[in-house]
Amino acid sequence: MNRIFFTTSIFLALMFSQQISHAQFPDFKYYTIGESDELSGQTSLADIDNDGDPDWIVGSIYTVYWFEYIAPDHWERHVIGENPLTEAGGTAMDVDGDGWIDQVSGGTWFKNTGDPTKPFEPFENKAIMAQENVQADVNGDGHPDIVAMNDIDGLYWYDFSSKPEKKWKSNYIGEGVRSGISPHGVADLDEDGDVDIVRSNEWFENMGEGKEWVKHPNLKLTRLEEPFPNSTRSWIIDMNKDGRADIVQIESYLPDCKVVWLEKMDQKGRTWYMHKIAMNTEQELQSLIVADFDNDGDLDVFAGGASRSKANHKKCFIWENVSGDGTEWKEHVILTDHGSFEAAAADIDNDGDIDICSKPWQGKENYYLRNMLMENKK
């Protein structure tokens, strides 16, 4: 009898513990940031004005803006530059090493002159009109490079370490698709000390300093539907804490996209096991973020729906990593009736939890989803 009571007590304690864990998953409060052009991408959260907090960068083919964070309900819009030579690809980074965050937008980069309230100085770099831009040190020289891709020109990386104001050195990697390398599809997959590139259903092995690449078409998420086959969002990260790089991926440009993560089963990345996170979202997913949103020490997954969604209502989700090792997930809908394209995350209000900024592809209103985890603990 005592043994039965003891076993039952343990079971109830575990159930109660799980309920507490689930109850502690944070709410997100919606704030309006301001308006930018429709059909905007090029998103980043970065400290443009060097005041210690992240600002929101977003741009279209007409104008690139940054929104200065003043308070959760107060953002001030500034112009970075006009007429960037890009599609939706862009990223904020310090191009020239002067300690100020600049903006790379495909074939144009905009120099932050140190007075970020004024438009930045534009330079043409002769890079492709990118659908995606990702920064990484591809050749291992200690300086950042840019990986760029579109589905017409292909997949390239660019070295601008010597004279960024001049033409950037172009290096061809392979064929491109509409999307597949962003937001974080560039990292060391095979544990040899240099960065490799995930591109949807394939990954490209860097054979040293970015001079030679070997294509491995062995990733699992493959969809051939038009208009943009094999389009995904990719994020390389150690999901299950085994010391190896895994890949989180969402399908994109489809009305009912899947969410998965791929576990690397060997050091060199020759074999991958697919773990299902969500297989029927009824959403065209165009945003992916992997972060610890509930501060429990493991990684959760955010994805946001867009205009082609099968469901009547667009939704933004976070899948909570309930098991901690990515084998069990709990779905949370954190926003409805607002599309999301290329969302980004950071601790914007400096309170110790991860917040989200985004905007729809078809629509002008940028928004801030404030993580209320720490506020609700007070």
Side-chain angles (χ1 to χ4, degrees), residues 100-139:
W100 289 89
I101 296 295
D102 311 300
Q103 171 70 9
V104 177
S105 300
T108 311
W109 76 276
F110 298 91
K111 177 181 172 60
N112 186 339
T113 60
D115 184 357
T117 61
K118 297 180 180 179
F120 292 17
E121 184 178 0
F123 295 91
E124 292 188 17
N125 56 24
K126 306 303 181 183
I128 63 172
M129 296 273 291
Q131 182 67 26
E132 296 183 308
N133 283 139
V134 179
Q135 57 176 298
D137 183 4
V138 176
N139 56 1

Coordinates of all heavy atoms in Angstrom, one line a residue, residues 100-139:
W100 N 30.4 51.4 -35.4 CA 29.1 51.8 -35.6 C 28.4 50.8 -36.6 O 29.0 50.3 -37.5 CB 29.0 53.2 -36.3 CG 29.4 54.3 -35.3 CD1 30.6 54.8 -35.1 CD2 28.5 55.0 -34.5 NE1 30.6 55.8 -34.2 CE2 29.3 56.0 -33.8 CE3 27.1 55.0 -34.2 CZ2 28.7 56.9 -32.8 CZ3 26.6 55.9 -33.3 CH2 27.4 56.8 -32.6
I101 N 27.1 50.5 -36.3 CA 26.4 49.5 -37.1 C 26.0 50.1 -38.4 O 25.3 51.2 -38.4 CB 25.2 49.0 -36.3 CG1 25.6 48.2 -35.1 CG2 24.3 48.1 -37.2 CD1 26.4 47.0 -35.3
D102 N 26.3 49.5 -39.5 CA 26.0 49.9 -40.8 C 24.8 49.0 -41.3 O 24.4 48.1 -40.6 CB 27.2 49.8 -41.8 CG 28.4 50.5 -41.2 OD1 28.3 51.7 -40.9 OD2 29.4 49.8 -41.0
Q103 N 24.4 49.1 -42.6 CA 23.4 48.3 -43.2 C 23.8 47.8 -44.5 O 24.3 48.5 -45.4 CB 22.1 49.1 -43.3 CG 21.0 48.4 -44.1 CD 20.4 47.2 -43.4 OE1 20.6 47.0 -42.2 NE2 19.6 46.4 -44.1
V104 N 23.8 46.4 -44.7 CA 24.0 45.8 -46.0 C 22.7 45.4 -46.6 O 21.9 44.7 -45.9 CB 24.9 44.5 -45.8 CG1 25.1 43.9 -47.2 CG2 26.3 44.9 -45.2
S105 N 22.4 45.9 -47.8 CA 21.2 45.6 -48.5 C 21.5 45.1 -49.9 O 21.5 45.9 -50.8 CB 20.3 46.9 -48.5 OG 20.0 47.3 -47.2
G106 N 21.8 43.9 -50.0 CA 22.1 43.3 -51.3 C 23.3 44.0 -52.0 O 24.4 43.9 -51.5
G107 N 23.1 44.7 -53.1 CA 24.2 45.3 -53.8 C 24.5 46.7 -53.3 O 25.3 47.4 -53.9
T108 N 24.0 47.1 -52.2 CA 24.3 48.4 -51.6 C 24.6 48.2 -50.1 O 24.0 47.4 -49.4 CB 23.0 49.4 -51.7 OG1 22.6 49.4 -53.0 CG2 23.4 50.8 -51.3
W109 N 25.6 49.0 -49.6 CA 25.7 49.1 -48.2 C 25.7 50.5 -47.8 O 26.1 51.4 -48.5 CB 26.9 48.3 -47.6 CG 28.3 49.0 -47.8 CD1 29.0 48.9 -48.9 CD2 29.0 49.7 -46.8 NE1 30.2 49.6 -48.7 CE2 30.2 50.1 -47.4 CE3 28.7 50.1 -45.5 CZ2 31.2 50.8 -46.8 CZ3 29.7 50.9 -44.9 CH2 30.9 51.2 -45.5
F110 N 25.1 50.8 -46.6 CA 24.9 52.2 -46.1 C 25.8 52.4 -44.8 O 25.7 51.6 -43.8 CB 23.5 52.4 -45.7 CG 22.5 52.3 -46.9 CD1 21.9 51.1 -47.2 CD2 22.3 53.4 -47.7 CE1 21.1 51.0 -48.3 CE2 21.4 53.3 -48.8 CZ 20.8 52.1 -49.1
K111 N 26.7 53.3 -44.9 CA 27.6 53.6 -43.8 C 27.0 54.5 -42.8 O 26.5 55.6 -43.1 CB 28.9 54.2 -44.4 CG 29.9 54.6 -43.3 CD 31.2 55.3 -43.9 CE 32.1 55.9 -42.8 NZ 32.6 54.8 -41.9
N112 N 27.0 54.1 -41.5 CA 26.6 54.9 -40.4 C 27.7 55.9 -40.1 O 28.8 55.4 -39.7 CB 26.3 54.0 -39.2 CG 25.7 54.7 -38.0 OD1 25.9 55.9 -37.9 ND2 25.1 54.0 -37.1
T113 N 27.5 57.1 -40.3 CA 28.6 58.1 -40.2 C 28.8 58.6 -38.7 O 29.7 59.4 -38.5 CB 28.2 59.4 -41.0 OG1 27.0 59.9 -40.6 CG2 28.1 59.0 -42.5
G114 N 28.1 58.0 -37.8 CA 28.2 58.4 -36.4 C 27.1 59.4 -35.9 O 27.0 59.7 -34.8
D115 N 26.4 59.9 -36.9 CA 25.2 60.7 -36.5 C 24.0 59.9 -37.2 O 23.5 60.3 -38.2 CB 25.3 62.1 -37.1 CG 24.1 63.0 -36.7 OD1 23.2 62.4 -36.0 OD2 24.1 64.2 -37.0
P116 N 23.5 58.9 -36.5 CA 22.5 58.0 -37.1 C 21.2 58.7 -37.3 O 20.3 58.0 -37.9 CB 22.4 56.8 -36.2 CG 22.9 57.4 -34.9 CD 23.9 58.4 -35.2
T117 N 20.9 59.9 -36.8 CA 19.7 60.5 -37.1 C 19.6 61.1 -38.5 O 18.6 61.5 -39.0 CB 19.4 61.7 -36.1 OG1 20.5 62.7 -36.2 CG2 19.4 61.2 -34.7
K118 N 20.8 61.1 -39.2 CA 20.9 61.6 -40.6 C 21.0 60.3 -41.5 O 21.5 59.3 -41.1 CB 22.1 62.5 -40.8 CG 22.0 63.8 -40.0 CD 23.2 64.6 -40.2 CE 23.1 66.0 -39.4 NZ 24.3 66.8 -39.6
P119 N 20.6 60.4 -42.8 CA 20.7 59.3 -43.7 C 22.2 58.9 -43.8 O 23.1 59.7 -43.7 CB 20.2 59.9 -45.0 CG 19.3 61.0 -44.6 CD 19.9 61.6 -43.4
F120 N 22.4 57.5 -43.9 CA 23.7 57.0 -44.0 C 24.3 57.2 -45.4 O 23.6 57.6 -46.3 CB 23.6 55.5 -43.8 CG 23.2 55.0 -42.4 CD1 22.6 55.9 -41.5 CD2 23.5 53.7 -42.0 CE1 22.3 55.5 -40.2 CE2 23.1 53.4 -40.7 CZ 22.5 54.2 -39.8
E121 N 25.6 57.0 -45.5 CA 26.3 57.2 -46.8 C 26.2 55.9 -47.6 O 26.7 54.9 -47.2 CB 27.7 57.6 -46.6 CG 28.5 57.9 -47.8 CD 29.9 58.4 -47.6 OE1 30.3 58.4 -46.4 OE2 30.7 58.6 -48.5
P122 N 25.7 56.0 -48.8 CA 25.5 54.7 -49.6 C 26.8 54.4 -50.5 O 27.4 55.3 -51.0 CB 24.3 55.1 -50.5 CG 24.4 56.5 -50.7 CD 25.0 57.1 -49.5
F123 N 27.0 53.1 -50.6 CA 28.1 52.6 -51.5 C 27.5 51.4 -52.2 O 26.9 50.5 -51.6 CB 29.3 52.2 -50.7 CG 30.0 53.3 -50.0 CD1 29.7 53.6 -48.7 CD2 31.0 54.0 -50.6 CE1 30.3 54.6 -48.0 CE2 31.7 55.0 -49.9 CZ 31.3 55.3 -48.6
E124 N 27.8 51.3 -53.5 CA 27.5 50.1 -54.3 C 28.6 49.1 -54.2 O 29.8 49.5 -54.4 CB 27.2 50.5 -55.7 CG 25.9 51.3 -55.9 CD 25.5 51.4 -57.4 OE1 26.0 50.7 -58.2 OE2 24.7 52.3 -57.7
N125 N 28.3 47.9 -53.9 CA 29.4 46.8 -53.7 C 29.4 45.8 -54.8 O 30.2 44.9 -54.7 CB 29.1 46.2 -52.3 CG 27.8 45.5 -52.2 OD1 27.1 45.2 -53.2 ND2 27.3 45.4 -50.9
K126 N 28.5 45.9 -55.8 CA 28.4 45.0 -56.9 C 28.0 43.6 -56.5 O 28.2 42.6 -57.3 CB 29.8 44.9 -57.6 CG 30.3 46.3 -58.1 CD 29.3 47.0 -59.0 CE 29.9 48.3 -59.4 NZ 29.0 49.1 -60.2
A127 N 27.4 43.4 -55.3 CA 26.8 42.1 -55.0 C 25.5 41.9 -55.6 O 24.9 42.8 -56.2 CB 26.7 42.0 -53.4
I128 N 25.0 40.7 -55.6 CA 23.7 40.4 -56.2 C 22.5 41.0 -55.5 O 22.6 41.4 -54.4 CB 23.4 38.8 -56.3 CG1 23.3 38.3 -54.9 CG2 24.5 38.2 -57.1 CD1 22.9 36.8 -54.9
M129 N 21.4 41.2 -56.2 CA 20.2 41.7 -55.7 C 19.6 40.5 -54.8 O 18.9 39.7 -55.2 CB 19.2 42.0 -56.8 CG 19.6 43.1 -57.7 SD 19.1 44.8 -57.0 CE 17.3 44.7 -57.2
A130 N 19.9 40.6 -53.5 CA 19.7 39.4 -52.6 C 18.3 39.3 -52.2 O 17.6 40.3 -51.8 CB 20.7 39.5 -51.4
Q131 N 17.8 38.1 -52.2 CA 16.6 37.7 -51.4 C 17.0 37.5 -50.0 O 16.1 37.7 -49.1 CB 16.0 36.5 -52.0 CG 14.7 36.1 -51.4 CD 13.5 37.1 -51.6 OE1 13.5 37.8 -52.6 NE2 12.6 37.1 -50.7
E132 N 18.2 37.0 -49.7 CA 18.7 36.8 -48.3 C 20.1 37.2 -48.2 O 20.9 37.0 -49.1 CB 18.5 35.3 -48.0 CG 17.1 34.8 -47.9 CD 17.0 33.4 -47.5 OE1 17.8 32.5 -48.1 OE2 16.3 33.0 -46.6
N133 N 20.4 37.9 -47.1 CA 21.8 38.2 -46.7 C 22.0 37.7 -45.3 O 21.2 37.9 -44.4 CB 22.0 39.7 -46.6 CG 22.2 40.4 -48.0 OD1 21.7 41.4 -48.3 ND2 23.0 39.7 -48.9
V134 N 23.1 37.0 -45.1 CA 23.5 36.4 -43.8 C 25.0 36.8 -43.6 O 25.8 36.6 -44.5 CB 23.3 34.9 -43.7 CG1 23.8 34.4 -42.3 CG2 21.9 34.6 -43.9
Q135 N 25.4 37.3 -42.4 CA 26.8 37.6 -42.1 C 27.5 36.5 -41.4 O 26.9 35.8 -40.6 CB 26.9 38.9 -41.3 CG 26.1 38.8 -40.0 CD 26.3 40.1 -39.2 OE1 27.5 40.4 -38.8 NE2 25.3 40.8 -38.9
A136 N 28.7 36.2 -41.8 CA 29.6 35.2 -41.1 C 31.0 35.4 -41.6 O 31.2 36.0 -42.7 CB 29.1 33.8 -41.5
D137 N 31.9 34.9 -40.8 CA 33.3 34.9 -41.3 C 33.6 33.6 -42.1 O 34.0 32.6 -41.5 CB 34.3 35.0 -40.0 CG 35.7 35.0 -40.4 OD1 36.1 35.1 -41.6 OD2 36.6 35.0 -39.5
V138 N 33.4 33.7 -43.4 CA 33.5 32.5 -44.2 C 34.9 32.1 -44.4 O 35.2 30.9 -44.4 CB 32.9 32.8 -45.6 CG1 33.0 31.6 -46.6 CG2 31.4 33.2 -45.4
N139 N 35.9 33.0 -44.6 CA 37.3 32.6 -44.9 C 38.2 32.5 -43.7 O 39.4 32.3 -43.8 CB 37.9 33.5 -45.9 CG 37.8 35.0 -45.5 OD1 37.4 35.3 -44.4 ND2 38.3 35.9 -46.4

